[in-house]
Amino acid sequence: MLKPCLKRLQRGGTVVFSRTTFGCEGAGVGLGFVNQYSDGLEYFLSMGNEFIPEADQERPRAIIGMMDISARPFIDADLLSFSVPYAMSREMENNVPGSFLDKHEWKKVVERIQPNN
């Protein structure tokens, strides 16, 4: 369902979703048509049909996505996704103070990539 939507958007068209046409459950939650995921879906990472409970692992991993070769032609060349378990994202956030992200040089990079700069 996503490929035709992306093609239409690339051509400047409009895509509309409703309670009956949003596609997968993740899209339903993201678009606000469904209030929560089914049990276990929070563990799903885009790795086939396999559920990987990263949050429950001794050493959870971060996952870089949008690498599917069939989807790459329909997304910006410089776009990837990044997914981490919630606890890992909190740990990463807590590590920002004092890290390179908190330095003057990085703030110059942030200013450069901000829209309308």
Side-chain angles (χ1 to χ4, degrees), residues 41-56:
L41 192 63
E42 69 272 16
Y43 299 124
F44 181 75
L45 299 174
S46 186
M47 300 177 82
N49 292 325
E50 186 178 348
F51 282 88
I52 301 174
E54 285 297 330
D56 296 338

Side-chain angles (χ1 to χ4, degrees), residues 67-108:
M67 301 295 289
D68 183 339
I69 196 69
S70 64
R72 295 299 309 163
F74 302 101
I75 60 173
D76 292 342
D78 60 351
L79 182 69
L80 294 173
S81 65
F82 179 70
S83 178
V84 296
Y86 180 73
M88 183 184 276
S89 71
R90 294 300 308 223
E91 180 182 350
M92 292 168 62
E93 182 180 8
N94 290 335
N95 287 330
V96 168
S99 75
F100 74 96
L101 296 170
D102 203 24
K103 304 294 181 209
H104 176 72
E105 292 79 8
W106 187 255
K107 291 178 181 174
K108 288 193 285 188

Side-chain angles (χ1 to χ4, degrees), residues 109-117:
V109 172
V110 171
E111 288 174 12
R112 193 181 94 218
I113 62 176
Q114 291 295 324
N116 300 321
N117 282 344

Side-chain angles (χ1 to χ4, degrees), residues 1 21-31 34 37 41:
M1 177 173 189
T21 64
F22 59 79
C24 71
E25 187 175 24
V29 172
L31 293 168
V34 178
Y37 292 109
L41 192 63

